[in-house]
């Protein structure tokens, strides 16, 4: 199949994606190791919280393929796409496909929820979330339990996401990983090219993230007293 390179993903979106992957893995490692690594678990949690909030903002002001208004569709379209995946042929989209769009939203919501509950969590030994002083002991215990359970949901969503990427690669012959690494997709010459896409400069994304991270970091410090 003859293809031509088509730019789909800007640098901020790609950095967000792979930073989220590494950040979640690092947070899990720190929590499993315990001890002094829990300090880094907390730092990683703050970073991930800021990272996801950045993606929400970038989904409003960022490049075309990053904007929610460009890739979000109704659940009906998502189910239609699921039926299409069962058919023959390749599957190419100028950005997130209808199912992938809902997966993005689900992951953003669950990671934010995980990060917020972690701010109030405790292991009853030596580690406490920075905002634990704002809630009662029983509430902290409840939020700690939720924090642990939520991670299982994250693992489930990640497994589904990885399985979908592998399905696209093996069955639909669409290399989603390459596109998210280099920013370009191998678009078949026999298929109509995607519409013209507008991309925001990478420096804008980095500035937006820096501002959001500072806001989250110092906001937590302020609330913690």
């Amino acid at each position: 199949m003859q293809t031509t390179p088509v730019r789909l993903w800007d640098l901020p979106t790609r950095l967000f994606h792979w930073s989220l992957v590494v950040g979640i893995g690092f947070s899990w490692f720190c929590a499993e190791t315990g001890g002094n690594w829990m300090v880094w678990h907390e730092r990683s949690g703050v970073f991930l919280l800021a990272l996801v909030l950045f993606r929400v903002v970038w989904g409003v002001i960022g490049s075309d393929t990053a904007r929610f208004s460009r890739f979000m569709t109704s659940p009906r379209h998502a189910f239609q796409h699921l039926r299409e995946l069962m058919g023959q042929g390749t599957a190419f989209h100028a950005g997130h496909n209808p199912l992938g769009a809902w997966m993005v939203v689900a992951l953003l919501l669950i990671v934010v929820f995980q990060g917020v509950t972690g701010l109030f969590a405790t292991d009853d030994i030596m580690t406490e979330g920075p905002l634990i002083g704002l809630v009662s002991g029983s509430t902290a215990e409840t939020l700690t339990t939720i924090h642990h359970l939520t991670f299982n949901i994250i693992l489930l969503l990640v497994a589904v996401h990885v399985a979908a990427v592998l399905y696209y690669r093996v069955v639909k012959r669409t290399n989603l990983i390459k596109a998210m690494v280099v920013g370009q997709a191998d678009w078949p010459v026999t298929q109509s090219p995607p519409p013209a896409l507008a991309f925001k400069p990478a420096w804008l994304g980095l500035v937006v993230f820096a501002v959001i991270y500072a806001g989250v970091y110092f906001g937590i410090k302020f609330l913690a007293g």
Side-chain angles (χ1 to χ4, degrees), residues 14-64:
R14 286 179 281 142
L15 286 177
F16 159 80
H17 181 275
W18 297 114
S19 296
L20 185 66
V21 172
V22 174
I24 290 176
F26 182 70
S27 291
W28 170 82
F29 168 79
C30 294
E32 288 296 309
T33 305
N36 293 332
W37 282 100
M38 291 304 295
V39 175
W40 287 99
H41 180 78
E42 180 181 319
R43 292 171 180 171
S44 178
V46 172
F47 171 80
L48 288 172
L49 187 56
L51 188 68
V52 173
L53 293 178
F54 157 78
R55 183 62 183 88
V56 173
V57 174
W58 198 242
V60 177
I61 69 171
S63 304
D64 282 350

Side-chain angles (χ1 to χ4, degrees), residues 195-219:
L197 299 170
F199 293 90
K200 294 296 177 69
W203 64 262
L204 177 61
L206 297 177
V207 169
V208 171
F209 173 75
V211 171
I212 292 175
Y213 180 81
V216 170
Y217 180 83
F218 290 108

Side-chain angles (χ1 to χ4, degrees), residues 59-225:
V60 177
I61 69 171
S63 304
D64 282 350
T65 49
R67 295 197 177 200
F68 297 114
S69 60
R70 292 293 295 259
F71 66 76
M72 285 306 302
T73 61
S74 67
R76 180 173 62 85
H77 283 95
F79 282 113
Q80 287 178 346
H81 178 67
L82 181 61
R83 289 196 294 269
E84 292 172 358
L85 288 178
M86 299 299 106
Q88 300 295 320
T90 56
F92 293 89
H93 295 269
H96 294 296
N97 63 65
L99 280 175
W102 284 101
M103 176 60 75
V104 169
V105 172
L107 281 170
L108 292 178
L109 289 175
I110 200 67
V111 173
V112 166
F113 187 71
Q114 178 77 343
V116 171
T117 56
L119 298 175
F120 305 93
T122 176
D123 63 0
D124 292 323
I125 301 175
M126 59 177 293
T127 304
E128 293 180 339
L131 301 185
I132 194 170
L134 300 180
V135 299
S136 65
S138 60
T139 300
E141 291 181 4
T142 300
L143 292 175
T144 300
T145 300
I146 294 174
H147 186 69
H148 292 158
L149 293 175
T150 301
F151 185 71
N152 294 327
I153 300 176
I154 292 177
L155 289 179
L156 176 62
L157 291 177
V158 169
V160 172
H161 180 61
V162 171
V165 170
L166 292 176
Y167 180 84
Y168 267 88
R169 185 69 183 95
V170 176
V171 179
K172 309 305 288 185
R173 293 178 295 170
T174 305
N175 195 339
L176 301 180
I177 297 178
K178 178 182 177 181
M180 191 54 72
V181 172
V182 302
Q184 294 181 332
D186 297 324
W187 198 269
V189 296
T190 56
Q191 184 170 320
S192 300
L197 299 170
F199 293 90
K200 294 296 177 69
W203 64 262
L204 177 61
L206 297 177
V207 169
V208 171
F209 173 75
V211 171
I212 292 175
Y213 180 81
V216 170
Y217 180 83
F218 290 108
I220 292 173
K221 291 290 186 182
F222 174 79
L223 292 175

